[in-house]
Amino acid sequence: MEWNDFFERRDVKKELKSINKELKKQKKEGITILPIKENRFNCFERTKFQDVKVVIIMQDPYKNIINDIPQAHGLCASVPDGVPIPPTLNNMLKELKDDLGYDIPESGNLEKWADQGVLLLNRTLTLKQGESNSHKTLWTDFSAKLMKFIVENKDFVVFICWGGDAQASLNGLNMKEHIVISGTHPSPLGANKGGFFGKKYYSCVNNVLKDNNIEEIDWNLNK
């Protein structure tokens, strides 16, 4: 099984055709869509389906362009090298330091995680520059089909669901073969309410992988 088995499905191709039509329309209207087209499906290109062992589910891409570089590059929470670490990712890295002792890196690029089988997935793959959640309804059906495909075609996956939107993405799916680790969203608004910090997500994931004889994730971004 590969990602193409999903993307080549007739219903998915029809859905993407409809999405692309709307994105092209908005672009003609002068709206900037993030991430750029070349990075839109980066998470699937970076992490092969057969390699997926952890899925981090978040809401939607970053909405800003910093120093002419889009924050979003198709991997949830991640930013390209040279882009300042956003508050949400900074909270994730603070929790990583408290959990496993790894210093917060200079770069917020999470490609190292993706290359080890961590699918960095946003429920919504695009947005209008400066407008959070502006494409949520556009991607709702696609996202539902995608989550169902992953759950039904992977033997075992650890899902990390941060925030109610991510947790809702698994509603109605048969999760008996998988593990779900949930917490509040790591954004300052969510994390500071409690329910995010101190949960030791990263070591918990590795303990689950180890118990299932699956190679653990090296979460350290400093090497």
Side-chain angles (χ1 to χ4, degrees), residues 12-79:
V12 175
K13 291 173 79 171
K14 183 179 179 181
E15 189 72 37
L16 286 173
K17 184 177 180 180
S18 176
I19 291 170
N20 286 329
K21 182 178 179 181
E22 176 59 24
L23 294 178
K24 287 179 180 178
K25 176 177 174 289
Q26 291 184 14
K27 187 176 180 181
K28 286 182 178 179
E29 294 170 352
I31 296 170
T32 298
I33 308 297
L34 298 176
I36 62 172
K37 186 176 181 180
E38 291 76 11
N39 288 338
R40 195 169 297 163
F41 298 102
N42 196 14
C43 67
F44 308 108
E45 294 167 2
R46 196 86 201 187
T47 308
K48 294 179 181 179
F49 183 80
Q50 57 265 37
D51 294 337
V52 173
K53 47 190 173 183
V54 179
V55 180
I56 296 180
I57 309 171
M58 298 183 76
Q59 184 173 288
D60 61 350
Y62 294 121
K63 63 181 182 179
N64 295 319
I65 296 176
I66 308 295
N67 297 326
D68 296 324
I69 304 174
Q71 289 176 301
H73 65 141
L75 305 175
C76 81
S78 180
V79 292

Side-chain angles (χ1 to χ4, degrees), residues 102-103 105 109 112-113 116 217-223:
Y102 301 140
D103 289 335
N109 192 325
K112 179 180 177 181
W113 295 358
Q116 296 177 78
I217 305 298
D218 178 7
W219 299 103
N220 189 355
L221 295 167
N222 288 298
K223 61 177 185 178

Side-chain angles (χ1 to χ4, degrees), residues 24 177 184:
K24 287 179 180 178
E177 302 297 331
T184 57

Side-chain angles (χ1 to χ4, degrees), residues 43-157:
C43 67
F44 308 108
E45 294 167 2
R46 196 86 201 187
T47 308
K48 294 179 181 179
F49 183 80
Q50 57 265 37
D51 294 337
V52 173
K53 47 190 173 183
V54 179
V55 180
I56 296 180
I57 309 171
M58 298 183 76
Q59 184 173 288
D60 61 350
Y62 294 121
K63 63 181 182 179
N64 295 319
I65 296 176
I66 308 295
N67 297 326
D68 296 324
I69 304 174
Q71 289 176 301
H73 65 141
L75 305 175
C76 81
S78 180
V79 292
D81 294 327
V83 174
I85 295 175
T88 292
L89 178 54
N90 194 54
N91 283 339
M92 291 169 55
L93 298 175
K94 282 182 180 178
E95 173 64 14
L96 176 60
K97 183 175 182 179
D98 290 343
D99 184 1
L100 294 173
Y102 301 140
D103 289 335
I104 295 176
E106 292 184 4
S107 173
N109 192 325
L110 304 182
E111 289 176 347
K112 179 180 177 181
W113 295 358
D115 292 342
Q116 296 177 78
V118 180
L119 182 66
L120 298 168
L121 180 65
N122 281 310
R123 291 197 71 193
T124 300
L125 298 187
T126 61
L127 46 57
K128 300 176 184 178
Q129 181 185 354
E131 297 183 37
S132 295
N133 232 12
S134 49
H135 284 168
K136 180 177 181 178
T137 57
L138 194 61
W139 290 95
T140 296
D141 290 343
F142 172 88
S143 180
K145 290 180 172 69
L146 175 63
M147 296 312 302
K148 189 173 188 290
F149 176 81
I150 295 171
V151 168
E152 293 183 352
N153 289 285
K154 291 296 295 186
D155 293 331
F156 177 80
V157 170

Side-chain angles (χ1 to χ4, degrees), residues 54 56 92 94-102 113 158 160 162 179 181 196-212 214-220:
V54 179
I56 296 180
M92 291 169 55
K94 282 182 180 178
E95 173 64 14
L96 176 60
K97 183 175 182 179
D98 290 343
D99 184 1
L100 294 173
Y102 301 140
W113 295 358
V158 182
I160 302 178
W162 283 323
I179 297 291
I181 300 171
F196 177 76
F197 291 117
K199 293 297 186 74
K200 299 186 180 298
Y201 305 98
Y202 308 96
S203 58
C204 183
V205 167
N206 277 351
N207 288 337
V208 170
L209 294 176
K210 185 177 181 180
D211 289 345
N212 286 272
I214 299 171
E215 186 177 1
E216 299 167 51
I217 305 298
D218 178 7
W219 299 103
N220 189 355

